[in-house]
Amino acid sequence: MTRSDVTIIGAGPAGLAAAIEAARAGAKVVLVDENARPGGQLFKQIHKFFGSREHFAGTRGIDLARKLCQEAQELGVQLVLDTAAFAIYDGRIVAGTTPKGTVQIESERIILATGAMENTFSFKGWTKPGVMGAGAAQTMINLHRVLPGSRILMVGSGNVGLIVTYQLLQAGADVVAVIEALPKIGGYAVHAAKVRRAGVPILTSHTVLEAKGEPEVSSAVICQLDDFKPVAGTEREVEVDTVCLAVGLTPLAELAWMAGCQCEYLPALGGFVPVHDERMETTVKGIFVAGDVTGVEEASTAIEEGRLAGIAAAASLGLLSPDEAEERMTAAWERLAALRMGPFGEGRQAAKEQLMKVGKAG
Amino acid sequence: MSCGNKGDTVICRCEEVTRQEILEALADGARDLRGVRIRTRAGMGLCQGKTCERLVRQIIAEQTGVNPAELRPATKRPPVRPLEIGLLGRDDDDSVK
């Protein structure tokens, strides 16, 4: 059995940041990820981030991933790749499957940074080949350089739907339309404007009723909505070979549930999320969380939460003095507060405060 | 939003459970995700509910009026990722290089 001070599950932005902070404090850190390389979703984020400079504005996700990976490596973080964590036993043993077999890591502290998964939405024909998550399409074009299709219908106008639409155009596909069930566009105006300038219509108060074709998608039926109900007579068939679903993300909290962490349902954060305190510790002592697993946000917030969890885990092992830990954590909280401002951040900030209040009450 | 949903629409892809079968489970007395799971196997397949859990929760909430916040996931047990059965019995676990 391998032993570690801190085992982190998930090597995306949150997990890498946690690994860096814990290792910097002197912890023996094992970072587990099911993919062949660390970086999580950052490697497919070829667009530049927004915000302030200290939050990597102007930096592309892919460059940020390289920087974080290099830093983790220099600090001696042990990367265990191609390994899917499938269980946590006794709150301290992480079990994973490797290409060769299984591995067990006995861990003084565990940080869950497992991220989120794409939501689906069911309609007639949604299981046909050609219907896929927008994130999956983004992985195909930006990581594997394979176009999922040539004529695409994007369902959902949040930032994922808008950004992936633009990147599909860049990759050479034709996006026929972006449709949105709500009466207004979900994502940032700047992304929407780019999509509109490229000539792609964004149809609000619209949904998809059916994906047609045998065996794979050859067209989709869309219609107008009035108060979320289809308006009879507005159905029309659009010729597409791919329907991308960008209808939100759900925190991947299954290991937290298994470990007995209390979870709360907060729609603003994507569904059920593990309750945590200001140190990112869950209701199970020694198990911490960071990033999308405890509320779907952005890479920048995931990094700050990762730092908090890494610092807190190291401090709880006596590797940082309480004052040092306090100082570093206060700085991270200040950066988080700045990131959670504005019309998109405020709702999440309120939901996060509620989540931590539950943690205290428990 | 599921206005394009017909009874024969598949909800749990892994176990091929349709919306109609979930409605029947509810008519049979199921009131939560576990109740639907033990009647239909929805959520018991390869992905362990990663795809359908949210859809099933939506159907239960819309049919019974229960608040989705009350519809906790069915119990998560190891393994949460697909695993060759032979691996579990073996004792070749070794250290990470």
mmCIF file of all heavy atoms in Angstrom, chain A residues 35 40-47 116-120 130-146 148 152-156 158-165 167-168 242-249 292:
data_model
loop_
_atom_site.group_PDB
_atom_site.id
_atom_site.type_symbol
_atom_site.label_atom_id
_atom_site.label_comp_id
_atom_site.label_asym_id
_atom_site.label_seq_id
_atom_site.Cartn_x
_atom_site.Cartn_y
_atom_site.Cartn_z
ATOM 1 N N ASN A 35 -7.168 10.522 -16.189
ATOM 2 C CA ASN A 35 -6.681 10.803 -17.538
ATOM 3 C C ASN A 35 -5.190 10.539 -17.671
ATOM 4 O O ASN A 35 -4.483 10.369 -16.682
ATOM 5 C CB ASN A 35 -6.989 12.248 -17.902
ATOM 6 C CG ASN A 35 -8.489 12.483 -17.965
ATOM 7 O OD1 ASN A 35 -9.170 11.911 -18.811
ATOM 8 N ND2 ASN A 35 -9.004 13.273 -17.040
ATOM 9 N N GLY A 40 -6.979 18.524 -16.230
ATOM 10 C CA GLY A 40 -8.447 18.532 -16.278
ATOM 11 C C GLY A 40 -8.953 19.195 -17.541
ATOM 12 O O GLY A 40 -8.448 18.953 -18.635
ATOM 13 N N GLN A 41 -9.942 20.065 -17.372
ATOM 14 C CA GLN A 41 -10.560 20.701 -18.542
ATOM 15 C C GLN A 41 -9.726 21.862 -19.078
ATOM 16 O O GLN A 41 -10.022 22.420 -20.119
ATOM 17 C CB GLN A 41 -11.966 21.213 -18.188
ATOM 18 C CG GLN A 41 -12.879 20.157 -17.588
ATOM 19 C CD GLN A 41 -13.016 18.939 -18.478
ATOM 20 O OE1 GLN A 41 -13.362 19.045 -19.643
ATOM 21 N NE2 GLN A 41 -12.707 17.770 -17.944
ATOM 22 N N LEU A 42 -8.671 22.238 -18.336
ATOM 23 C CA LEU A 42 -7.908 23.419 -18.761
ATOM 24 C C LEU A 42 -7.299 23.261 -20.150
ATOM 25 O O LEU A 42 -7.225 24.218 -20.911
ATOM 26 C CB LEU A 42 -6.786 23.713 -17.758
ATOM 27 C CG LEU A 42 -7.192 24.400 -16.442
ATOM 28 C CD1 LEU A 42 -6.018 24.426 -15.480
ATOM 29 C CD2 LEU A 42 -7.698 25.811 -16.694
ATOM 30 N N PHE A 43 -6.877 22.033 -20.480
ATOM 31 C CA PHE A 43 -6.195 21.849 -21.756
ATOM 32 C C PHE A 43 -7.093 22.081 -22.966
ATOM 33 O O PHE A 43 -6.611 22.302 -24.063
ATOM 34 C CB PHE A 43 -5.541 20.467 -21.838
ATOM 35 C CG PHE A 43 -4.194 20.458 -21.203
ATOM 36 C CD1 PHE A 43 -3.988 19.894 -19.961
ATOM 37 C CD2 PHE A 43 -3.122 21.077 -21.837
ATOM 38 C CE1 PHE A 43 -2.747 19.919 -19.359
ATOM 39 C CE2 PHE A 43 -1.871 21.109 -21.241
ATOM 40 C CZ PHE A 43 -1.688 20.527 -19.995
ATOM 41 N N LYS A 44 -8.404 22.031 -22.755
ATOM 42 C CA LYS A 44 -9.259 22.298 -23.912
ATOM 43 C C LYS A 44 -9.775 23.725 -23.911
ATOM 44 O O LYS A 44 -10.497 24.128 -24.804
ATOM 45 C CB LYS A 44 -10.390 21.282 -23.991
ATOM 46 C CG LYS A 44 -11.332 21.279 -22.846
ATOM 47 C CD LYS A 44 -12.262 20.081 -22.975
ATOM 48 C CE LYS A 44 -13.538 20.328 -22.214
ATOM 49 N NZ LYS A 44 -14.359 19.135 -22.124
ATOM 50 N N GLN A 45 -9.364 24.495 -22.907
ATOM 51 C CA GLN A 45 -9.788 25.896 -22.861
ATOM 52 C C GLN A 45 -8.753 26.747 -23.598
ATOM 53 O O GLN A 45 -7.833 27.290 -23.000
ATOM 54 C CB GLN A 45 -10.001 26.329 -21.410
ATOM 55 C CG GLN A 45 -11.131 25.517 -20.790
ATOM 56 C CD GLN A 45 -11.479 25.902 -19.385
ATOM 57 O OE1 GLN A 45 -10.780 26.661 -18.732
ATOM 58 N NE2 GLN A 45 -12.578 25.367 -18.899
ATOM 59 N N ILE A 46 -8.961 26.824 -24.897
ATOM 60 C CA ILE A 46 -7.980 27.521 -25.717
ATOM 61 C C ILE A 46 -8.269 29.022 -25.778
ATOM 62 O O ILE A 46 -7.509 29.785 -26.341
ATOM 63 C CB ILE A 46 -7.930 26.928 -27.150
ATOM 64 C CG1 ILE A 46 -9.318 27.007 -27.796
ATOM 65 C CG2 ILE A 46 -7.460 25.484 -27.119
ATOM 66 C CD1 ILE A 46 -9.329 26.603 -29.256
ATOM 67 N N HIS A 47 -9.391 29.430 -25.179
ATOM 68 C CA HIS A 47 -9.750 30.858 -25.153
ATOM 69 C C HIS A 47 -9.101 31.522 -23.938
ATOM 70 O O HIS A 47 -8.687 30.858 -22.998
ATOM 71 C CB HIS A 47 -11.265 31.017 -25.074
ATOM 72 C CG HIS A 47 -11.872 30.239 -23.942
ATOM 73 N ND1 HIS A 47 -12.091 28.882 -24.005
ATOM 74 C CD2 HIS A 47 -12.257 30.612 -22.709
ATOM 75 C CE1 HIS A 47 -12.605 28.465 -22.865
ATOM 76 N NE2 HIS A 47 -12.717 29.491 -22.056
ATOM 77 N N ALA A 116 -16.911 18.154 -12.229
ATOM 78 C CA ALA A 116 -18.337 18.035 -12.527
ATOM 79 C C ALA A 116 -18.516 17.234 -13.812
ATOM 80 O O ALA A 116 -17.557 16.973 -14.531
ATOM 81 C CB ALA A 116 -18.948 19.424 -12.701
ATOM 82 N N MET A 117 -19.760 16.836 -14.063
ATOM 83 C CA MET A 117 -20.056 16.116 -15.314
ATOM 84 C C MET A 117 -21.159 16.863 -16.065
ATOM 85 O O MET A 117 -21.925 17.620 -15.473
ATOM 86 C CB MET A 117 -20.490 14.701 -15.002
ATOM 87 C CG MET A 117 -21.697 14.651 -14.082
ATOM 88 S SD MET A 117 -21.923 13.008 -13.402
ATOM 89 C CE MET A 117 -23.060 13.353 -12.059
ATOM 90 N N GLU A 118 -21.237 16.642 -17.340
ATOM 91 C CA GLU A 118 -22.232 17.345 -18.147
ATOM 92 C C GLU A 118 -23.634 16.804 -17.924
ATOM 93 O O GLU A 118 -23.830 15.595 -17.811
ATOM 94 C CB GLU A 118 -21.910 17.164 -19.641
ATOM 95 C CG GLU A 118 -20.654 17.827 -20.062
ATOM 96 C CD GLU A 118 -20.652 18.056 -21.570
ATOM 97 O OE1 GLU A 118 -21.143 19.111 -22.009
ATOM 98 O OE2 GLU A 118 -20.171 17.154 -22.275
ATOM 99 N N ASN A 119 -24.585 17.705 -17.896
ATOM 100 C CA ASN A 119 -25.981 17.289 -17.813
ATOM 101 C C ASN A 119 -26.481 16.865 -19.192
ATOM 102 O O ASN A 119 -25.994 17.347 -20.209
ATOM 103 C CB ASN A 119 -26.864 18.449 -17.351
ATOM 104 C CG ASN A 119 -26.578 18.826 -15.918
ATOM 105 O OD1 ASN A 119 -26.015 18.051 -15.155
ATOM 106 N ND2 ASN A 119 -26.964 20.036 -15.553
ATOM 107 N N THR A 120 -27.490 15.995 -19.154
ATOM 108 C CA THR A 120 -28.175 15.701 -20.404
ATOM 109 C C THR A 120 -29.599 16.174 -20.243
ATOM 110 O O THR A 120 -29.986 16.657 -19.185
ATOM 111 C CB THR A 120 -28.211 14.203 -20.700
ATOM 112 O OG1 THR A 120 -28.789 13.575 -19.582
ATOM 113 C CG2 THR A 120 -26.851 13.664 -20.961
ATOM 114 N N GLY A 130 -24.698 11.102 -32.565
ATOM 115 C CA GLY A 130 -24.778 12.458 -33.105
ATOM 116 C C GLY A 130 -25.288 13.435 -32.058
ATOM 117 O O GLY A 130 -25.095 14.632 -32.186
ATOM 118 N N VAL A 131 -25.926 12.910 -31.002
ATOM 119 C CA VAL A 131 -26.306 13.781 -29.885
ATOM 120 C C VAL A 131 -25.218 13.627 -28.831
ATOM 121 O O VAL A 131 -24.890 12.503 -28.442
ATOM 122 C CB VAL A 131 -27.678 13.384 -29.287
ATOM 123 C CG1 VAL A 131 -28.041 14.323 -28.144
ATOM 124 C CG2 VAL A 131 -28.752 13.394 -30.355
ATOM 125 N N MET A 132 -24.631 14.716 -28.411
ATOM 126 C CA MET A 132 -23.532 14.619 -27.441
ATOM 127 C C MET A 132 -23.448 15.870 -26.586
ATOM 128 O O MET A 132 -24.055 16.896 -26.913
ATOM 129 C CB MET A 132 -22.206 14.413 -28.167
ATOM 130 C CG MET A 132 -21.791 15.586 -29.026
ATOM 131 S SD MET A 132 -20.129 15.368 -29.675
ATOM 132 C CE MET A 132 -20.380 14.027 -30.800
ATOM 133 N N GLY A 133 -22.716 15.774 -25.500
ATOM 134 C CA GLY A 133 -22.479 16.937 -24.658
ATOM 135 C C GLY A 133 -21.605 17.934 -25.387
ATOM 136 O O GLY A 133 -20.737 17.553 -26.182
ATOM 137 N N ALA A 134 -21.811 19.226 -25.106
ATOM 138 C CA ALA A 134 -20.980 20.253 -25.740
ATOM 139 C C ALA A 134 -19.539 20.126 -25.258
ATOM 140 O O ALA A 134 -18.597 20.366 -26.007
ATOM 141 C CB ALA A 134 -21.522 21.642 -25.416
ATOM 142 N N GLY A 135 -19.373 19.734 -24.009
ATOM 143 C CA GLY A 135 -18.021 19.545 -23.473
ATOM 144 C C GLY A 135 -17.309 18.401 -24.177
ATOM 145 O O GLY A 135 -16.106 18.461 -24.425
ATOM 146 N N ALA A 136 -18.080 17.369 -24.511
ATOM 147 C CA ALA A 136 -17.497 16.231 -25.241
ATOM 148 C C ALA A 136 -17.043 16.688 -26.617
ATOM 149 O O ALA A 136 -15.953 16.336 -27.084
ATOM 150 C CB ALA A 136 -18.518 15.102 -25.348
ATOM 151 N N ALA A 137 -17.870 17.514 -27.268
ATOM 152 C CA ALA A 137 -17.503 18.026 -28.592
ATOM 153 C C ALA A 137 -16.238 18.875 -28.478
ATOM 154 O O ALA A 137 -15.344 18.804 -29.335
ATOM 155 C CB ALA A 137 -18.655 18.856 -29.166
ATOM 156 N N GLN A 138 -16.146 19.641 -27.385
ATOM 157 C CA GLN A 138 -14.964 20.490 -27.177
ATOM 158 C C GLN A 138 -13.708 19.634 -26.981
ATOM 159 O O GLN A 138 -12.638 19.958 -27.495
ATOM 160 C CB GLN A 138 -15.193 21.406 -25.970
ATOM 161 C CG GLN A 138 -14.181 22.535 -25.871
ATOM 162 C CD GLN A 138 -14.324 23.329 -24.588
ATOM 163 O OE1 GLN A 138 -14.796 22.815 -23.568
ATOM 164 N NE2 GLN A 138 -13.938 24.585 -24.628
ATOM 165 N N THR A 139 -13.860 18.542 -26.249
ATOM 166 C CA THR A 139 -12.729 17.620 -26.080
ATOM 167 C C THR A 139 -12.302 17.062 -27.432
ATOM 168 O O THR A 139 -11.109 16.987 -27.746
ATOM 169 C CB THR A 139 -13.115 16.460 -25.137
ATOM 170 O OG1 THR A 139 -13.508 17.019 -23.887
ATOM 171 C CG2 THR A 139 -11.950 15.501 -24.911
ATOM 172 N N MET A 140 -13.288 16.693 -28.238
ATOM 173 C CA MET A 140 -12.954 16.125 -29.550
ATOM 174 C C MET A 140 -12.180 17.120 -30.419
ATOM 175 O O MET A 140 -11.156 16.773 -31.004
ATOM 176 C CB MET A 140 -14.238 15.680 -30.272
ATOM 177 C CG MET A 140 -14.843 14.422 -29.692
ATOM 178 S SD MET A 140 -16.385 13.952 -30.509
ATOM 179 C CE MET A 140 -15.765 13.349 -32.078
ATOM 180 N N ILE A 141 -12.662 18.365 -30.487
ATOM 181 C CA ILE A 141 -11.990 19.296 -31.401
ATOM 182 C C ILE A 141 -10.674 19.824 -30.835
ATOM 183 O O ILE A 141 -9.684 19.906 -31.546
ATOM 184 C CB ILE A 141 -12.899 20.473 -31.835
ATOM 185 C CG1 ILE A 141 -13.531 21.188 -30.641
ATOM 186 C CG2 ILE A 141 -13.956 19.996 -32.807
ATOM 187 C CD1 ILE A 141 -14.346 22.423 -31.021
ATOM 188 N N ASN A 142 -10.657 20.182 -29.553
ATOM 189 C CA ASN A 142 -9.467 20.856 -29.024
ATOM 190 C C ASN A 142 -8.378 19.914 -28.526
ATOM 191 O O ASN A 142 -7.213 20.282 -28.489
ATOM 192 C CB ASN A 142 -9.856 21.825 -27.899
ATOM 193 C CG ASN A 142 -10.693 22.988 -28.426
ATOM 194 O OD1 ASN A 142 -10.852 23.130 -29.627
ATOM 195 N ND2 ASN A 142 -11.222 23.791 -27.535
ATOM 196 N N LEU A 143 -8.762 18.721 -28.086
ATOM 197 C CA LEU A 143 -7.738 17.773 -27.625
ATOM 198 C C LEU A 143 -7.401 16.752 -28.697
ATOM 199 O O LEU A 143 -6.237 16.475 -28.957
ATOM 200 C CB LEU A 143 -8.197 17.050 -26.357
ATOM 201 C CG LEU A 143 -8.237 17.867 -25.067
ATOM 202 C CD1 LEU A 143 -8.608 16.962 -23.903
ATOM 203 C CD2 LEU A 143 -6.898 18.533 -24.795
ATOM 204 N N HIS A 144 -8.425 16.198 -29.317
ATOM 205 C CA HIS A 144 -8.174 15.102 -30.259
ATOM 206 C C HIS A 144 -8.183 15.551 -31.716
ATOM 207 O O HIS A 144 -7.882 14.780 -32.605
ATOM 208 C CB HIS A 144 -9.192 13.982 -30.036
ATOM 209 C CG HIS A 144 -9.218 13.501 -28.623
ATOM 210 N ND1 HIS A 144 -8.129 12.939 -28.008
ATOM 211 C CD2 HIS A 144 -10.188 13.541 -27.677
ATOM 212 C CE1 HIS A 144 -8.433 12.642 -26.750
ATOM 213 N NE2 HIS A 144 -9.674 13.008 -26.529
ATOM 214 N N ARG A 145 -8.571 16.802 -31.922
ATOM 215 C CA ARG A 145 -8.595 17.372 -33.276
ATOM 216 C C ARG A 145 -9.437 16.555 -34.242
ATOM 217 O O ARG A 145 -9.036 16.255 -35.366
ATOM 218 C CB ARG A 145 -7.164 17.534 -33.794
ATOM 219 C CG ARG A 145 -6.382 18.385 -32.817
ATOM 220 C CD ARG A 145 -5.016 18.710 -33.303
ATOM 221 N NE ARG A 145 -4.315 19.421 -32.229
ATOM 222 C CZ ARG A 145 -3.343 20.264 -32.426
ATOM 223 N NH1 ARG A 145 -2.942 20.526 -33.626
ATOM 224 N NH2 ARG A 145 -2.774 20.853 -31.411
ATOM 225 N N VAL A 146 -10.613 16.201 -33.751
ATOM 226 C CA VAL A 146 -11.566 15.471 -34.582
ATOM 227 C C VAL A 146 -12.867 16.263 -34.555
ATOM 228 O O VAL A 146 -13.354 16.623 -33.494
ATOM 229 C CB VAL A 146 -11.839 14.057 -34.003
ATOM 230 C CG1 VAL A 146 -12.941 13.359 -34.786
ATOM 231 C CG2 VAL A 146 -10.564 13.226 -33.995
ATOM 232 N N PRO A 148 -16.727 16.555 -34.548
ATOM 233 C CA PRO A 148 -17.822 15.625 -34.283
ATOM 234 C C PRO A 148 -18.843 15.583 -35.412
ATOM 235 O O PRO A 148 -19.553 14.594 -35.581
ATOM 236 C CB PRO A 148 -18.446 16.151 -32.993
ATOM 237 C CG PRO A 148 -18.046 17.577 -32.910
ATOM 238 C CD PRO A 148 -16.733 17.707 -33.632
ATOM 239 N N ILE A 152 -24.151 21.610 -37.045
ATOM 240 C CA ILE A 152 -24.400 21.388 -35.618
ATOM 241 C C ILE A 152 -25.519 22.278 -35.080
ATOM 242 O O ILE A 152 -25.623 23.449 -35.435
ATOM 243 C CB ILE A 152 -23.096 21.627 -34.838
ATOM 244 C CG1 ILE A 152 -22.090 20.530 -35.231
ATOM 245 C CG2 ILE A 152 -23.321 21.629 -33.330
ATOM 246 C CD1 ILE A 152 -20.670 20.811 -34.933
ATOM 247 N N LEU A 153 -26.344 21.694 -34.217
ATOM 248 C CA LEU A 153 -27.319 22.476 -33.459
ATOM 249 C C LEU A 153 -26.818 22.509 -32.019
ATOM 250 O O LEU A 153 -26.557 21.462 -31.417
ATOM 251 C CB LEU A 153 -28.716 21.814 -33.505
ATOM 252 C CG LEU A 153 -29.773 22.468 -32.612
ATOM 253 C CD1 LEU A 153 -30.171 23.842 -33.144
ATOM 254 C CD2 LEU A 153 -31.014 21.574 -32.496
ATOM 255 N N MET A 154 -26.653 23.707 -31.455
ATOM 256 C CA MET A 154 -26.212 23.843 -30.069
ATOM 257 C C MET A 154 -27.423 24.128 -29.193
ATOM 258 O O MET A 154 -28.160 25.080 -29.445
ATOM 259 C CB MET A 154 -25.195 24.993 -29.962
ATOM 260 C CG MET A 154 -24.639 25.227 -28.582
ATOM 261 S SD MET A 154 -23.642 23.859 -27.945
ATOM 262 C CE MET A 154 -22.220 23.939 -29.027
ATOM 263 N N VAL A 155 -27.620 23.291 -28.184
ATOM 264 C CA VAL A 155 -28.745 23.494 -27.271
ATOM 265 C C VAL A 155 -28.198 24.074 -25.966
ATOM 266 O O VAL A 155 -27.470 23.405 -25.235
ATOM 267 C CB VAL A 155 -29.472 22.154 -26.997
ATOM 268 C CG1 VAL A 155 -30.665 22.374 -26.062
ATOM 269 C CG2 VAL A 155 -29.920 21.514 -28.302
ATOM 270 N N GLY A 156 -28.529 25.317 -25.699
ATOM 271 C CA GLY A 156 -28.057 25.980 -24.476
ATOM 272 C C GLY A 156 -27.142 27.143 -24.811
ATOM 273 O O GLY A 156 -26.192 26.989 -25.584
ATOM 274 N N GLY A 158 -25.572 29.152 -22.425
ATOM 275 C CA GLY A 158 -24.678 29.546 -21.334
ATOM 276 C C GLY A 158 -23.268 29.690 -21.895
ATOM 277 O O GLY A 158 -23.058 29.532 -23.108
ATOM 278 N N ASN A 159 -22.298 29.979 -21.036
ATOM 279 C CA ASN A 159 -20.942 30.194 -21.547
ATOM 280 C C ASN A 159 -20.376 28.968 -22.260
ATOM 281 O O ASN A 159 -19.690 29.101 -23.267
ATOM 282 C CB ASN A 159 -20.010 30.644 -20.426
ATOM 283 C CG ASN A 159 -20.253 32.111 -20.090
ATOM 284 O OD1 ASN A 159 -20.572 32.906 -20.976
ATOM 285 N ND2 ASN A 159 -20.124 32.471 -18.822
ATOM 286 N N VAL A 160 -20.698 27.779 -21.763
ATOM 287 C CA VAL A 160 -20.190 26.576 -22.434
ATOM 288 C C VAL A 160 -20.756 26.490 -23.849
ATOM 289 O O VAL A 160 -20.015 26.299 -24.826
ATOM 290 C CB VAL A 160 -20.521 25.296 -21.627
ATOM 291 C CG1 VAL A 160 -20.161 24.049 -22.428
ATOM 292 C CG2 VAL A 160 -19.780 25.292 -20.295
ATOM 293 N N GLY A 161 -22.058 26.678 -23.987
ATOM 294 C CA GLY A 161 -22.686 26.606 -25.304
ATOM 295 C C GLY A 161 -22.107 27.636 -26.260
ATOM 296 O O GLY A 161 -21.839 27.340 -27.429
ATOM 297 N N LEU A 162 -21.900 28.858 -25.770
ATOM 298 C CA LEU A 162 -21.402 29.932 -26.633
ATOM 299 C C LEU A 162 -19.942 29.709 -27.027
ATOM 300 O O LEU A 162 -19.568 29.840 -28.190
ATOM 301 C CB LEU A 162 -21.554 31.285 -25.928
ATOM 302 C CG LEU A 162 -23.001 31.728 -25.633
ATOM 303 C CD1 LEU A 162 -23.005 32.999 -24.777
ATOM 304 C CD2 LEU A 162 -23.783 31.961 -26.921
ATOM 305 N N ILE A 163 -19.120 29.373 -26.047
ATOM 306 C CA ILE A 163 -17.691 29.189 -26.329
ATOM 307 C C ILE A 163 -17.473 27.991 -27.257
ATOM 308 O O ILE A 163 -16.710 28.062 -28.221
ATOM 309 C CB ILE A 163 -16.884 29.032 -25.012
ATOM 310 C CG1 ILE A 163 -16.878 30.365 -24.250
ATOM 311 C CG2 ILE A 163 -15.463 28.564 -25.283
ATOM 312 C CD1 ILE A 163 -16.322 30.279 -22.838
ATOM 313 N N VAL A 164 -18.167 26.899 -26.971
ATOM 314 C CA VAL A 164 -17.980 25.708 -27.817
ATOM 315 C C VAL A 164 -18.510 25.969 -29.229
ATOM 316 O O VAL A 164 -17.932 25.512 -30.213
ATOM 317 C CB VAL A 164 -18.611 24.454 -27.165
ATOM 318 C CG1 VAL A 164 -18.517 23.253 -28.099
ATOM 319 C CG2 VAL A 164 -17.930 24.144 -25.839
ATOM 320 N N THR A 165 -19.569 26.745 -29.338
ATOM 321 C CA THR A 165 -20.072 27.122 -30.665
ATOM 322 C C THR A 165 -18.973 27.820 -31.453
ATOM 323 O O THR A 165 -18.677 27.471 -32.604
ATOM 324 C CB THR A 165 -21.285 28.073 -30.545
ATOM 325 O OG1 THR A 165 -22.369 27.343 -29.988
ATOM 326 C CG2 THR A 165 -21.700 28.636 -31.901
ATOM 327 N N GLN A 167 -15.765 27.771 -30.961
ATOM 328 C CA GLN A 167 -14.626 26.889 -31.234
ATOM 329 C C GLN A 167 -14.958 25.857 -32.315
ATOM 330 O O GLN A 167 -14.084 25.454 -33.083
ATOM 331 C CB GLN A 167 -14.139 26.242 -29.932
ATOM 332 C CG GLN A 167 -13.549 27.320 -29.014
ATOM 333 C CD GLN A 167 -13.096 26.819 -27.662
ATOM 334 O OE1 GLN A 167 -13.337 25.670 -27.303
ATOM 335 N NE2 GLN A 167 -12.450 27.689 -26.903
ATOM 336 N N LEU A 168 -16.231 25.445 -32.395
ATOM 337 C CA LEU A 168 -16.633 24.536 -33.480
ATOM 338 C C LEU A 168 -16.514 25.240 -34.827
ATOM 339 O O LEU A 168 -16.085 24.645 -35.824
ATOM 340 C CB LEU A 168 -18.071 24.043 -33.259
ATOM 341 C CG LEU A 168 -18.236 22.930 -32.223
ATOM 342 C CD1 LEU A 168 -19.699 22.807 -31.792
ATOM 343 C CD2 LEU A 168 -17.747 21.586 -32.761
ATOM 344 N N THR A 242 -25.337 16.780 -35.979
ATOM 345 C CA THR A 242 -24.900 16.743 -34.585
ATOM 346 C C THR A 242 -25.771 17.681 -33.754
ATOM 347 O O THR A 242 -26.065 18.793 -34.182
ATOM 348 C CB THR A 242 -23.430 17.206 -34.475
ATOM 349 O OG1 THR A 242 -22.634 16.426 -35.377
ATOM 350 C CG2 THR A 242 -22.895 17.044 -33.068
ATOM 351 N N VAL A 243 -26.189 17.195 -32.590
ATOM 352 C CA VAL A 243 -26.887 18.052 -31.626
ATOM 353 C C VAL A 243 -26.023 18.084 -30.370
ATOM 354 O O VAL A 243 -25.760 17.033 -29.767
ATOM 355 C CB VAL A 243 -28.299 17.505 -31.296
ATOM 356 C CG1 VAL A 243 -28.981 18.383 -30.252
ATOM 357 C CG2 VAL A 243 -29.150 17.407 -32.547
ATOM 358 N N CYS A 244 -25.529 19.268 -30.021
ATOM 359 C CA CYS A 244 -24.694 19.396 -28.818
ATOM 360 C C CYS A 244 -25.537 19.925 -27.669
ATOM 361 O O CYS A 244 -26.251 20.919 -27.826
ATOM 362 C CB CYS A 244 -23.549 20.376 -29.064
ATOM 363 S SG CYS A 244 -22.217 19.694 -30.025
ATOM 364 N N LEU A 245 -25.438 19.271 -26.519
ATOM 365 C CA LEU A 245 -26.202 19.698 -25.351
ATOM 366 C C LEU A 245 -25.298 20.449 -24.386
ATOM 367 O O LEU A 245 -24.337 19.895 -23.852
ATOM 368 C CB LEU A 245 -26.804 18.474 -24.647
ATOM 369 C CG LEU A 245 -27.672 17.567 -25.520
ATOM 370 C CD1 LEU A 245 -28.181 16.378 -24.709
ATOM 371 C CD2 LEU A 245 -28.844 18.348 -26.110
ATOM 372 N N ALA A 246 -25.604 21.725 -24.202
ATOM 373 C CA ALA A 246 -24.858 22.543 -23.238
ATOM 374 C C ALA A 246 -25.860 23.008 -22.200
ATOM 375 O O ALA A 246 -26.264 24.164 -22.168
ATOM 376 C CB ALA A 246 -24.209 23.728 -23.949
ATOM 377 N N VAL A 247 -26.317 22.062 -21.388
ATOM 378 C CA VAL A 247 -27.406 22.358 -20.461
ATOM 379 C C VAL A 247 -26.952 22.224 -19.012
ATOM 380 O O VAL A 247 -27.681 21.749 -18.156
ATOM 381 C CB VAL A 247 -28.649 21.479 -20.757
ATOM 382 C CG1 VAL A 247 -29.268 21.893 -22.075
ATOM 383 C CG2 VAL A 247 -28.296 19.996 -20.805
ATOM 384 N N GLY A 248 -25.740 22.648 -18.755
ATOM 385 C CA GLY A 248 -25.272 22.716 -17.373
ATOM 386 C C GLY A 248 -24.439 21.521 -16.943
ATOM 387 O O GLY A 248 -24.255 20.557 -17.691
ATOM 388 N N LEU A 249 -23.916 21.645 -15.748
ATOM 389 C CA LEU A 249 -23.034 20.630 -15.180
ATOM 390 C C LEU A 249 -23.527 20.231 -13.800
ATOM 391 O O LEU A 249 -24.182 21.015 -13.122
ATOM 392 C CB LEU A 249 -21.614 21.198 -15.052
ATOM 393 C CG LEU A 249 -20.945 21.655 -16.340
ATOM 394 C CD1 LEU A 249 -19.779 22.576 -16.046
ATOM 395 C CD2 LEU A 249 -20.471 20.451 -17.139
ATOM 396 N N ASP A 292 -15.259 22.388 -8.709
ATOM 397 C CA ASP A 292 -16.631 22.150 -9.161
ATOM 398 C C ASP A 292 -17.384 21.089 -8.357
ATOM 399 O O ASP A 292 -18.602 21.105 -8.322
ATOM 400 C CB ASP A 292 -16.639 21.739 -10.647
ATOM 401 C CG ASP A 292 -16.563 22.943 -11.583
ATOM 402 O OD1 ASP A 292 -16.487 24.087 -11.085
ATOM 403 O OD2 ASP A 292 -16.589 22.746 -12.807
#
